[in-house]
Amino acid sequence: MFIGPKAIIHLDRLVHNYRIVKEKVGGRRIMAVVKANAYGHGAVECTKALASDGCDYFAVFTFEEAIELRDAGIAADIFVFSRLHPDILSDAVDRNITLNISHSDDLDSVIGFHAENGESPKVHLKIDTGMTRLGIAMDEAESVLLKLKDADGIRCEGIYSHYATADEGDLGYANMQLGQFNSILHSANALGLTFKIKHFSNSGSVLNIPESGFDAVRVGMLLYGAFPSDEVPADIDIKPVMEFRGPIVHVRRVAAGTQVSYGGVWTAEKDTNIGVIQTGFADGFPRPWYDGGSVSYHGKRYPIAGRVCMDQLMVDFGNENVEVGEDVLFFGENKTDSLRVEEISDTIGSTPYVLLTAIQGRTERIFSGKN
Ligand SMILES: Cc1ncc(COP(=O)(O)O)c(C=O)c1O
């Protein structure tokens, strides 16, 4: 029998969130972002669950992640965010995987490949409107558009950009980015270039800048049931997909004054029951959360006692009768307990992105609510 942390992945909630987001964006196409193992939730299972509810576009970061989905039998469109590498062009054609043109050199690679092989992978142009990561710089965009116009046989079906601050209260910078993107679309139009799929929005802008929905939205975090920040209107009914929990493996009564865990930063103020939970920071538990943090058990919160260790953490259960073998909830929601991952990330100065993608290693993923 497995003893240790578990991440129950509620696929029915994932599908629920997909439907809520789909409605929010007026039925637009959703490119479900399932990179980084679907933000720690399990890429293959999540993709299959979304595909069975009609989602027909998925985004990953690496080409290997795309291959994993194809090998698992996913037939839908798959888009790769990472920088294009010329060595993968042939496989991308064979496996119908859509690539990213984020520099004029990338377009040259695809044009060269087409000249040699008479075929092209599907590609989208990525414009850097202010993220300053991957993307064609604004002052190079016009020349790339011209090159694309003159190139024959390149299957360029999309154009997109990425927001740096769409989940913030001050949307000045995001609106500047939107203006830049619109100016590029205008230039493309003037050159007679049209793109089947224009996309810009992520979770933050779905809530904060609905006017940038274009033809498709690239959504990750909202599908997993967390809000990207506390500066977006939390006005849609999304449910946490991951329920992260760990088992109580030992309980002991300690006297007031007893010190618990590394560094001696926590001491029992009165006689109390200290439970040992078999989950630690090596399993993805957010270590800084011991400072003021808590777990939920039988519908009540109990403080974490002392520093979180690599494999275990301790909880101050007071006078509660605690059953060895039962689980405590770290974050997520079940019939009796609820603790939002956003509460933890806000308290420790992190983000749900960091906390969810950290869940890996020895944590057992259990998929529930499959249809
Ligand atoms: C290019 C790109 N688009 C969309 C997303 C999805 O963002 P979110 O999870 O905030 O919806 C990401 C995630 O980091 C991304 O890198």
Side-chain angles (χ1 to χ4, degrees), residues 102-341:
S102 57
H103 190 274
S104 63
D105 291 351
D106 300 346
L107 183 55
D108 290 340
S109 298
V110 176
I111 291 171
F113 181 85
H114 180 261
E116 257 177 49
N117 303 284
E119 50 190 2
S120 156
K122 285 196 272 188
V123 294
H124 290 206
L125 287 191
K126 179 167 199 182
I127 310 295
D128 179 17
T129 55
M131 177 70 183
T132 321
R133 199 170 61 179
L134 291 185
I136 297 157
M138 284 300 291
D139 57 1
E140 290 168 6
E142 186 90 23
S143 69
V144 173
L145 289 173
L146 276 169
K147 195 185 283 184
L148 180 66
K149 182 178 155 56
D150 291 342
D152 277 337
I154 306 304
R155 297 167 71 202
C156 186
E157 63 167 28
I159 185 165
Y160 78 109
S161 190
H162 187 53
Y163 282 117
T165 59
D167 60 358
E168 293 183 7
D170 178 352
L171 294 173
Y173 193 79
N175 283 323
M176 178 282 292
Q177 286 192 261
L178 180 57
Q180 302 263 55
F181 190 57
N182 278 324
S183 78
I184 297 295
L185 294 181
H186 190 262
S187 305
N189 206 27
L191 289 171
L193 277 173
T194 49
F195 299 91
K196 206 168 92 193
I197 317 169
K198 299 176 282 299
H199 47 111
F200 204 163
S201 261
N202 55 8
S203 291
S205 50
V206 160
L207 300 170
N208 263 344
I209 322 170
E211 64 275 23
S212 64
F214 293 102
D215 305 306
V217 295
R218 304 185 307 273
V219 178
M221 191 49 77
L222 293 177
L223 296 180
Y224 305 110
F227 289 97
S229 81
D230 60 0
E231 295 180 46
V232 294
D235 59 358
I236 55 173
D237 172 35
I238 51 171
K239 299 186 190 312
V241 174
M242 187 188 293
E243 181 196 334
F244 183 37
R245 57 193 219 203
I248 304 164
V249 293
H250 183 251
V251 186
R252 87 159 78 142
R253 188 80 180 159
V254 304
T258 304
Q259 191 177 294
V260 176
S261 195
Y262 289 121
V265 297
W266 195 93
T267 301
E269 281 171 11
K270 28 188 188 203
D271 295 1
T272 189
N273 292 333
I274 294 291
V276 180
I277 316 297
Q278 188 161 319
T279 303
F281 60 76
D283 303 301
F285 190 93
R287 182 179 178 278
W289 178 234
Y290 76 85
D291 191 8
S294 56
V295 301
S296 193
Y297 174 69
H298 290 184
K300 276 168 67 182
R301 293 288 189 94
Y302 297 92
I304 296 170
R307 287 190 183 148
V308 173
C309 309
M310 190 183 291
D311 321 290
Q312 300 169 89
L313 61 92
M314 277 66 83
V315 171
D316 176 9
F317 282 109
N319 293 324
E320 190 73 35
N321 283 324
V322 178
E323 288 287 327
V324 166
E326 287 190 330
D327 283 346
V328 298
L329 179 76
F330 304 132
F331 60 73
E333 198 178 301
N334 58 33
K335 285 202 177 79
T336 52
D337 295 85
S338 168
L339 201 166
R340 288 197 81 103
V341 70

